[in-house]
Amino acid sequence: MSQSVATELELMIGGMTCAACANRVQRKLNKLDGVTATVNYATEKAAVTAPAGTDPSTLIATIEQAGYTARMVTQEPEPRDPVRALRHRLFVALVLSIPLCDLSLAFWLLPGLRFPGWQWVSLALAAPVVLWSAAPFHRAAFKNARHGAASMDTLVSMGVLAAFAWSVYSLLFTTGSELHTGFEITTEAGGSVYLEVAAGVTAFLLAGRYFEARAKRNAGNALRALSTLAVKDVTVLRDGVQVVVPIAELLVDDLFVVKPGERVGADGVVHEGRCAVDNSMVTGESVPVPVVPGDAVIGGTVAVGGRLIVRATKIGADTQLAQMAKLVEQAQNDKADVQRLADRVAGGFVPVVLVLSALTFAAWLLFGQHTEAAFTAALAVLIIACPCALGLATPTALLVATGRAARLGILIKGASALESTRAVDTVVLDKTGTVTSGRMTLAAVHPREGVDRADLLATAGAVEDASEHAIAAAIVTAARQELASLSQVQDFVALPGLGARGVVDGREVVIGRTSLLATPLPEELETLRQQWESHGKTVVAVEWDGSVAGLLAVADTVKPTAAAAVAELRKLGLRPVLLTGDNSATAHAVAQEVGIDEVVAEVLPQGKVELVQRLREQGRVVAVVGDGVNDAPALATADLGLAMGSGTAVAINAADLILVREDLLAVPDAIRLARRTLGTIRGNLVWAFGYNVAALPLAALGLLNPLIAGAAMALSSAFVVSNSMRLRKFASANPSVGRPEDDRITG
């Protein structure tokens, strides 16, 4: 289905308690005509692509018919806090189950301590835990049963109720001297009381769910922090008068005031004023950046020590802050290919466990064991199975990693980007705007004899005013500073990697590389060109009506952290290559300064794509870092594309990772974090699969007490979550950027 007849919706799903639930909701949605859905258990969201005009209520009704709740993400959130509700139930479970387990353990070790009526005291302690604290498990299992489905809650509820019911039966129909506690794995005849198992397993599982919910909430803190940066009101200049209006009423080209300590209302360009701007929450850079008229500012950043008047260029959903939040959320909802396999396994996991538990019970009886021993083994199988760990393996790691990356000024578009970083061995770096600052300045203007300098600059500025290239911006800025106004260019044509042409005041003008010129440079200008290029300057030639008019020299500066970034890339075992459409002399001067040995210069956009393809044919796995329109094809062709956040929308759309920071150390940071995240995901999956493969046979053989099985199941999910939370400690190679977060789970 083409995108032109499709719409994308996002739903919040309530009532999911394990990966099997998410798998079931996804299957139900995908059965609808024209609907493609991905349901993420960790974020509790469904990303849905549906035919244009699809009523969201149809999707919501489908989910509700499956036994879950749903609402549009844009709707107000439900007031109920699941973490708080879990905390209350866990508190009651712990208060009652700890003394119950202590009593049972004491009676097992020292039977002489048993007092008349001990079993009824145990029942009084266990009943509230089984019937109230475990109620969410029972409620979810009942809903699933009504719809002919089974989930993790089915296993837990069946296990807890079976243990409780068996215990009550034993209390009613077995004398006190013949009773055994659940700690005793016995093959003797008599009644076994599993009250401490029922209560203890409930407490363990509630504790696991509670800490899992807190961890998921904390992992999403970065996304919530981004959303809180948006201002609600902004002071707009209307006819010279300051008017406070809601941010929704701000329009493009409006002038708005930012007072010291206030947040910038929207993306824009400084119209008046000078101050430092704290970009730390957006780019991760802790040192405020000075801005002057003409500089761009990002919505959500803070003005420090000065007043600004800003002209709005992007508002609402188009701002960089809104786009960052959207990309982070999309990445958190993405799934790695290996996770899709895990989800399929988890989807059929519960029925298999139910069958295995029944077979275990039958097998023990078949081999002549007592009913109590058979029940103990079957109960352990029900309780120890853990599909939750399978479902949490990827989402929790992505949730934490994307949040941490956002704090470091790195946006990960999805799990596929992580998988691409694993094998990358070559990094192709675009020069202008990536290795260099991209903030070029006009260094020199040299007209040909008989051509007026002001005329040369004005004509060049008029043509370049229609271009987005950094070199063009430098020429236009200088022209506007020196001249009162610029003429309007007609019939403008951009020549990517070469320059541009257009008609100014009736003259056909060509500006760019000397290869564009109809005639060769005169000897004097050729000598000057070589001299400028040997000093690392970029030379721009201007020609009108078929005659060379003069040369302009534009200078760029290497980013302060470029050399350190190249060194970090080498430490990661990566081979850096400098790629540019600029002249060879300038490119080699920059490469020498930052420590790159391999340089490919004077390359057109198509040539950049051909270079990437040639490297891939040599067996290389290639990452490309760029920022301009002319980099977009190479970014899309590469195995991994990294776009500088200051770059064009075309480049950003073509990339897999977006680097909001101007700091080039963001490149090795992004690759290291992506690789570490992928390693964490794989470790989680190995644990989740390995745990279930090893634990289920042990339980079926009667080697695990049900109480220990419950603890092991809770710890399995806790391991996956805590292992993922370690990514919060990831540190940037730049010590001034985003200090690692505390790894504690706070709530």
Side-chain angles (χ1 to χ4, degrees):
M1 178 171 45
S2 64
Q3 289 185 344
S4 60
V5 293
T7 183
E8 294 185 355
L9 303 169
E10 196 170 34
L11 301 172
M12 287 294 300
I13 312 297
M16 295 192 302
T17 54
C18 70
C21 297
N23 189 274
R24 183 162 184 265
V25 173
Q26 183 169 301
R27 287 201 314 271
K28 290 289 185 182
L29 289 173
N30 285 333
K31 287 181 180 179
L32 298 176
D33 290 339
V35 173
T36 303
T38 300
V39 179
N40 190 308
Y41 169 52
T43 59
E44 298 179 339
K45 290 181 181 178
V48 182
T49 301
T54 298
D55 188 351
S57 62
T58 303
L59 304 175
I60 292 173
T62 299
I63 295 170
E64 289 177 343
Q65 288 171 7
Y68 306 92
T69 63
R71 61 179 174 82
M72 294 294 293
V73 170
T74 53
Q75 296 173 358
E76 287 296 316
E78 297 176 356
R80 177 177 167 273
D81 180 8
V83 175
R84 185 177 181 182
L86 282 170
R87 185 190 302 125
H88 292 161
R89 293 185 187 276
L90 175 61
F91 176 77
V92 171
L94 290 175
V95 167
L96 297 177
S97 62
I98 289 176
L100 173 58
C101 290
D102 286 344
L103 281 174
S104 297
L105 183 62
F107 294 156
W108 172 43
L109 296 174
L110 300 170
L113 294 179
R114 298 182 185 184
F115 53 85
W118 66 269
Q119 60 270 43
W120 303 109
V121 173
S122 297
L123 179 63
L125 291 172
V129 179
V130 171
L131 301 178
W132 184 78
S133 292
F137 301 120
H138 307 322
R139 192 180 304 118
F142 178 70
K143 284 183 179 180
N144 287 327
R146 281 174 49 202
H147 294 89
S151 69
M152 184 66 217
D153 295 291
T154 305
L155 301 181
V156 174
S157 179
M158 286 184 63
V160 169
L161 290 178
F164 185 74
W166 185 281
S167 300
V168 172
Y169 174 84
S170 296
L171 290 177
L172 294 175
F173 298 103
T174 308
T175 61
S177 60
E178 295 177 318
L179 290 175
H180 309 288
T181 69
F183 282 100
E184 302 173 69
I185 300 179
T186 178
T187 59
E188 298 175 4
S192 291
V193 178
Y194 294 96
L195 293 172
E196 72 281 358
V197 172
V201 166
T202 299
F204 281 132
L205 298 186
L206 282 174
R209 289 261 174 106
Y210 172 64
F211 287 112
E212 177 187 315
R214 285 176 62 180
K216 285 160 61 177
R217 184 177 67 182
N218 289 344
N221 279 345
L223 184 58
R224 282 186 289 274
L226 285 176
S227 64
T228 60
L229 295 181
V231 300
K232 296 181 179 179
D233 301 302
V234 63
T235 303
V236 181
L237 288 178
R238 298 275 166 84
D239 298 324
V241 179
Q242 294 187 18
V243 181
V244 178
V245 300
I247 190 64
E249 296 182 13
L250 182 68
L251 303 175
V252 173
D253 287 333
D254 273 352
L255 293 176
F256 62 91
V257 179
V258 185
K259 298 175 183 178
E262 287 186 346
R263 294 194 181 278
V264 178
D267 294 357
V269 176
V270 177
H271 179 74
E272 182 182 315
R274 297 169 181 264
C275 77
V277 175
D278 181 3
N279 295 327
S280 58
M281 283 302 292
V282 178
T283 66
E285 296 168 343
S286 58
V287 179
V289 178
V291 295
V292 297
D295 286 347
V297 290
I298 303 170
T301 56
V302 180
V304 180
R307 177 179 179 272
L308 297 175
I309 297 179
V310 179
R311 183 179 300 279
T313 56
K314 293 181 180 179
I315 59 174
D318 294 328
T319 63
Q320 183 169 321
L321 186 64
Q323 291 298 313
M324 284 178 63
K326 181 179 179 181
L327 285 171
V328 170
E329 194 160 12
Q330 285 176 347
Q332 291 177 347
N333 287 331
D334 196 16
K335 292 184 179 181
D337 290 339
V338 68
Q339 180 63 36
R340 298 182 196 278
L341 171 63
D343 286 349
R344 287 196 295 271
V345 172
F349 189 85
V350 173
V352 170
V353 172
L354 290 174
V355 171
L356 181 60
S357 178
L359 290 176
T360 299
F361 185 78
W364 276 71
L365 293 179
L366 186 64
F367 283 97
Q369 300 297 324
H370 288 291
T371 305
E372 289 81 0
F375 179 80
T376 299
L379 183 62
V381 169
L382 278 180
I383 292 172
I384 201 166
C386 185
C388 293
L390 290 171
L392 291 169
T394 292
T396 50
L398 267 181
L399 199 65
V400 178
T402 50
R404 180 62 184 144
R407 290 182 179 273
L408 294 174
I410 301 166
L411 300 180
I412 302 171
K413 281 193 173 180
S416 58
L418 302 179
E419 293 172 335
S420 299
T421 62
R422 179 171 54 89
V424 166
D425 56 21
T426 303
V427 179
V428 177
L429 300 162
D430 175 60
K431 181 180 75 70
T432 305
T434 302
V435 175
T436 62
S437 66
R439 297 188 184 93
M440 294 188 165
T441 56
L442 187 63
V445 178
H446 189 91
R448 185 177 183 179
E449 186 177 354
V451 177
D452 181 67
R453 181 184 184 280
D455 190 19
L456 174 63
L457 183 57
T459 303
V463 176
E464 296 287 38
D465 193 30
S467 174
E468 55 80 37
H469 198 279
I471 293 176
I475 295 173
V476 173
T477 300
R480 291 189 181 280
Q481 290 174 348
E482 291 192 25
L483 307 170
S485 63
L486 296 177
S487 298
Q488 188 72 27
V489 65
Q490 304 293 328
D491 300 329
F492 174 82
V493 177
L495 304 171
L498 294 172
R501 60 163 44 102
V503 177
V504 179
D505 298 331
R507 295 183 298 199
E508 291 190 9
V509 182
V510 175
I511 180 169
R513 290 166 57 170
T514 56
S515 59
L516 279 177
L517 303 181
T519 57
L521 289 176
E523 184 177 349
E524 174 201 358
L525 294 183
E526 177 61 27
T527 301
L528 183 61
R529 180 187 71 82
Q530 294 176 8
Q531 180 184 344
W532 281 351
E533 289 183 352
S534 67
H535 288 86
K537 293 182 176 66
T538 298
V539 178
V540 178
V542 182
E543 176 186 76
W544 56 63
D545 294 335
S547 176
V548 178
L551 299 178
L552 294 82
V554 177
D556 195 2
T557 56
V558 171
K559 290 182 177 178
T561 57
V566 170
E568 286 292 326
L569 290 174
R570 292 189 186 280
K571 287 181 183 177
L572 291 172
L574 303 174
R575 165 192 171 192
V577 178
L578 186 67
L579 177 66
T580 181
D582 209 342
N583 66 82
S584 180
T586 301
H588 278 87
V590 171
Q592 185 176 7
E593 186 174 347
V594 300
I596 296 178
D597 300 325
E598 189 171 350
V599 179
V600 182
E602 301 182 21
V603 180
L604 299 178
Q606 184 56 37
K608 294 182 178 182
V609 173
E610 291 171 357
L611 172 67
V612 173
Q613 291 174 338
R614 188 165 64 251
L615 289 171
R616 296 181 69 186
E617 288 171 0
Q618 295 172 2
R620 300 295 183 113
V621 181
V622 183
V624 173
V625 187
D627 71 329
V629 170
N630 59 349
D631 299 321
L635 288 168
T637 304
D639 297 286
L640 179 69
L642 298 92
M644 304 303 292
S646 58
T648 64
V650 178
I652 289 173
N653 289 336
D656 302 301
L657 302 174
I658 300 170
L659 313 176
V660 182
R661 281 160 43 201
E662 290 290 322
D663 174 17
L664 195 61
L665 280 169
V667 175
D669 280 351
I671 293 175
R672 284 194 303 116
L673 178 57
R675 286 181 173 180
R676 187 170 299 179
T677 304
L678 187 62
T680 300
I681 289 172
R682 292 182 181 279
N684 286 346
L685 287 170
V686 167
W687 165 262
F689 277 110
Y691 163 83
N692 284 292
V693 168
L696 286 170
L698 290 176
L701 292 171
L703 300 177
L704 286 176
N705 182 284
L707 191 62
I708 304 301
M713 195 274 261
L715 290 174
S716 178
S717 291
F719 172 83
V720 168
V721 172
S722 60
N723 188 44
S724 299
M725 293 299 288
R726 292 190 305 117
L727 290 168
R728 298 174 74 197
K729 284 186 171 292
F730 178 86
S732 168
N734 187 338
S736 66
V737 173
R739 290 181 301 175
E741 300 171 5
D742 194 331
D743 197 37
R744 293 172 297 178
I745 300 176
T746 57

